[in-house]
Amino acid sequence: MAPEKLPYKPNPRAPRAVLPVLEPRRRASTPEEVALGFTPEQAIAEAQRCLQCAKPECVNACPLHIDIKRFIRRLAEGDAVGAHEVIGEQSPFPGVCGRVCQHELFCEDACVTGKKWDPVAIGSLERFAADHARLRAHELSPNGSKKPQGPKVALVGSGPASLIAAYDLVRLHYRVTIFEALHKLGGVLAYGIPNFRLPREILAEEIARLQNLGVEFVPDFIVGKTATIEDLFDEGYQAIFVGTGAGLPYLMGIPGENLTGVYTANEFLTRINLMEAYKFPDVSTPVRVGKRTIVVGGGNSAMDAARWARRFGSETIVLFRRGRAEMRARLEEIEHAEEEEVQFHFLAAPVALYGDENGHVREMECIRMELGEPDSSGRPSPVPIEGSNFRIMCDTVVAAIGQAPNPTLQKATPQLITKRGKIVVNESGETSLPRVYAGGDVVRGGSTVILAMKDGRAAAEAIHEALSS
Amino acid sequence: MNQILAKRPLAPEVTLFEIEAPRIQRRWQPGQFVMVRPLPTSERIPLTLVTSDAVRQSVTIVVQAIGKTTKELAALEAGDAVADFVGPLGEAASTTKGERVVCMAGGVGVAELLPVAKAFHDASNHVTCLCGARSDNYRILDAELREAADVVEWATDDGSFGFHGNVVQMLLARNKPGDFTVGHVIGPIPMMKAAAEATRSWGLKLYASLNPVMIDGTGMCVGCRVTVGSEVKFACVDGPEFDAHLVDFDELARRNRAYRDMEQEALQHQCRLQKVE
């Protein structure tokens, strides 16, 4: 019996549904997910806030052009499975994107309801559709689906850019292999984003959708070291996409940076997310989180590191050289960090670190800043106030001040043209080497998951065009 | 994948593993390393590649069982597989041509020295290996080294074989400035530091192969950063070899000690678990 369709009655004036979250005091010492997702009642009510615009601007604003209007209509009618299928036409990763995409900058920013009232909570609805579909995952996995028979395509790195490229290419019957340097799949989704934002089983299940479609994953394989780009062509790959990301952290470049207890966000997060140091000593990789942690930076990695530090019981300060409005982190992460009693010291930057007799960090010297003229990022530039230096005691420091592209593949492929480490591509994502494409953070520098996916999709299209002509 | 083809004890706590790794065997160069994770719960640790066999499509590594992860590796047997075996990583060791080269190593470093000594020798240098061991029964890979080098001399801490003392003391006792033009040193940090200090005024280009703490081994965590001269370098991608006379060994020693107490805790935890089982 087909479930009865609920009537769609647009009600944009209704207040935007509030995403239920784990109580802040229950978040201590647990990697459990903080955002709990809408209840079915909330999801339906929220979906009814959608105006079903004739020209849905949200769809244009979405870098993947997910048919938001149509999937929300399905949800409004009580058909979560149908909603998941609509999203699946464009993206197999609603569980991931529903949690980590910066919807406020894309679809929700364009939402017409939002012009007068709060925008529809598109991100949380995407997540709802995904979580609902999980319950019937066994029905969704194609059994005995045809193995792809087309030309071989290699994707380097298993992060967001390659994942979406794999989805597009495998549906066009290419034989797709994804090479991953680490032992876990997902790139930054695995080593960078904490469990409490993106539970590992969600990531694993959405990656498994690709495996079910015939995408092959090869972990522990570093293109540029284990094999070269040339080797891959020799082995029959017809095109190669490089989505190796921005994994080379910037250092603060201040005295004392090599004291112990001073981490880059990459090391701190890799130890905890990838190596699961939060399970120490059941797993062997340690991380040392002291009584007071200072995290330097204002992006998502800074929030992730600060929120982990709180879960290790550390008093945690985020030190950011601009103001709250200039932080690049997702608004939701900033709010969750505030709920978790992460302290924020704005308009201040580190100038030196001091250690004890064992070479372990004990104190940070900072300088106050004021905001000046906008810089190249469009944000007001921080200007140091002379003579305003002050000190904070600390025993853990995490520098979360951005990342440059991973250099390994470029170093091994000197013919590949780069600019300050970033691979140079044309408008279709092709590099200076024929049949080699690139996208995501290795091209953009530190950017976002969704823009990496946009690049991966564009490259897949260009690869298909090149290989089918 | 990553199957252990052979396991051979070399000395107390020191074991050689031959691991099936066709791609690494094809591409590795002396001085490079692999990241190894013996079990899914182990740490990722860097281990220097020692030899390879094209027919068996294998490479060898030598491990000294001192910490939890190295003990977990040492407990594996032929036929088992290590969970992860990634590489080859880092840059190849520098070699020269027509020089008088001294290769110095202590302890398990002797295994790591072998491919470098051989590379120098193959590139038409005169190679002297000065090797150190705690005692006669701790000497490893002597026959292999003799095949790879022109001269091999041993120093033992207890005098049970060769020179009574350590490698640097042997160097100072038997050699003088000008005897060698190029050098390579690998081993415990105090030994590498002593070698650098001893030869600072010798006009000798001395390379040290460093082994700092690493997580990914590909330039992502930069936990392996070392100060070389006035620069911060990443041992995993810029190294592992650097100018020994410019390395800040004291800082390296401090950074390598950073988790010692937690390593002990992990080891104790494992021992207790084994008792329960």
Side-chain angles (χ1 to χ4, degrees), chain A residues 33 56 63 73 105 147 157 205 219 229 303 313 330 350 357 469:
Chain A
E33 187 171 21
R73 177 69 181 239
L105 301 182
K147 283 272 169 233
E205 285 168 15
I229 289 275
M303 295 307 102
R330 285 177 89 219
E357 65 282 1
S469 60

Side-chain angles (χ1 to χ4, degrees), chain B residues 1-10 14-22 24-25 28 34 36 47-63 73-74 76-82 84-85 111 141 144:
Chain B
M1 280 277 282
N2 310 337
Q3 208 191 11
I4 298 169
L5 300 180
K7 177 183 182 182
R8 176 155 71 98
L10 298 182
V14 179
T15 311
L16 178 143
F17 286 97
E18 180 189 9
I19 298 189
E20 184 181 25
I24 298 173
Q25 176 266 313
W28 83 287
V34 284
V36 185
L47 289 171
T48 305
L49 290 160
V50 179
T51 62
S52 63
D53 185 323
V55 176
R56 292 164 64 89
Q57 302 203 321
S58 64
V59 293
T60 60
I61 51 172
V62 172
V63 62
L73 177 56
L76 297 177
E77 298 295 339
D80 293 340
V82 293
D84 300 284
F85 196 77
L141 299 172
E144 288 83 349

Side-chain angles (χ1 to χ4, degrees), chain A residues 220 225 235 258 263 282 288, chain B residues 23 84 258-259 261 269:
Chain A
D220 290 335
K225 288 289 186 186
E235 290 172 27
N258 290 352
Y263 294 96
D282 285 336
R288 196 182 288 284
Chain B
R23 286 189 183 269
D84 300 284
Y259 295 100
D261 57 334
H269 180 75

Side-chain angles (χ1 to χ4, degrees), chain B residues 173-212:
Chain B
R174 295 184 177 175
N175 299 100
K176 57 184 189 308
D179 284 358
F180 304 111
T181 49
V182 174
H184 186 100
V185 59
I186 184 163
I189 293 169
M191 177 252 178
M192 291 193 284
K193 184 186 174 188
E197 292 310 325
T199 58
R200 197 171 288 285
S201 59
W202 281 27
L204 167 84
K205 179 81 180 167
L206 182 66
Y207 299 100
S209 183
L210 309 184
N211 193 5

Side-chain angles (χ1 to χ4, degrees), chain A residues 41-342:
Chain A
E41 295 73 30
Q42 276 186 307
I44 290 165
E46 184 63 25
Q48 298 271 2
R49 295 183 66 236
C50 174
L51 293 166
Q52 294 287 303
C53 306
K55 286 187 186 159
E57 291 184 25
C58 52
V59 179
N60 275 332
C62 172
L64 295 183
H65 302 308
I66 290 172
D67 195 337
I68 295 166
K69 172 181 168 180
R70 202 151 52 90
F71 98 71
I72 290 187
R73 177 69 181 239
R74 295 274 190 283
L75 282 179
E77 293 168 352
D79 178 10
V81 172
H84 187 257
E85 278 161 11
V86 170
I87 299 170
E89 291 166 11
Q90 298 299 332
S91 164
F93 312 116
V96 171
C97 290
R99 288 170 169 82
V100 306
C101 183
Q102 292 186 288
H103 302 91
E104 71 258 31
L105 301 182
F106 299 98
C107 54
E108 294 184 16
D109 182 52
C111 173
V112 172
T113 301
K115 307 272 182 252
K116 202 158 173 192
W117 302 282
D118 281 334
V120 175
I122 300 169
S124 296
L125 290 176
E126 180 182 25
R127 174 190 161 157
F128 178 84
D131 289 357
H132 185 89
R134 275 190 81 195
L135 305 175
R136 48 189 288 279
H138 57 284
E139 298 165 46
L140 293 172
S141 46
N143 34 17
S145 69
K146 280 187 295 182
K147 283 272 169 233
Q149 298 292 335
K152 283 167 69 176
V153 178
L155 312 179
V156 185
S158 69
S162 291
L163 290 176
I164 198 82
Y167 187 57
D168 289 356
L169 289 166
V170 78
R171 288 188 296 169
L172 294 165
H173 308 295
Y174 290 94
R175 280 176 291 163
V176 179
T177 306
I178 295 187
F179 295 100
E180 167 56 46
L182 296 170
H183 55 267
K184 282 192 190 155
L185 303 175
V188 71
L189 302 171
Y191 75 77
I193 296 184
N195 302 45
F196 52 78
R197 280 221 279 145
L198 175 61
R200 290 302 174 259
E201 58 273 21
I202 302 281
L203 178 61
E205 285 168 15
E206 295 198 336
I207 287 175
R209 287 180 78 174
L210 295 180
Q211 285 165 323
N212 288 333
L213 291 169
V215 175
E216 187 197 358
F217 286 86
V218 182
D220 290 335
F221 193 110
I222 303 171
V223 176
K225 288 289 186 186
T226 313
T228 62
I229 289 275
E230 215 166 87
D231 292 337
L232 295 181
F233 280 124
D234 288 347
E235 290 172 27
Y237 291 97
Q238 303 288 306
I240 297 170
F241 172 74
V242 180
T244 47
L248 181 71
Y250 290 122
L251 294 173
M252 297 180 286
I254 59 173
E257 188 149 31
N258 290 352
L259 291 166
T260 59
V262 182
Y263 294 96
T264 61
N266 256 16
E267 180 180 1
F268 192 72
L269 293 172
T270 299
R271 281 180 181 273
I272 305 174
N273 296 332
L274 180 81
M275 304 308 296
E276 303 183 323
Y278 63 91
K279 296 180 185 166
F280 181 88
D282 285 336
V283 304
S284 307
T285 302
V287 66
R288 196 182 288 284
V289 188
K291 289 198 172 69
R292 185 188 277 159
T293 301
I294 302 180
V295 178
V296 181
N300 285 314
S301 299
M303 295 307 102
D304 292 342
R307 296 177 65 198
W308 263 128
R310 287 294 297 139
R311 282 160 175 75
F312 280 84
S314 185
E315 181 190 351
T316 306
I317 296 168
V318 167
L319 192 82
F320 183 48
R321 58 188 185 149
R322 307 182 211 237
R324 188 179 189 276
E326 286 80 39
M327 289 174 80
R328 284 201 194 268
R330 285 177 89 219
L331 190 58
E332 191 181 308
E333 313 314 329
I334 299 172
E335 289 169 358
H336 288 168
E338 287 168 343
E339 289 166 12
E340 290 158 20
E341 297 177 336
V342 171

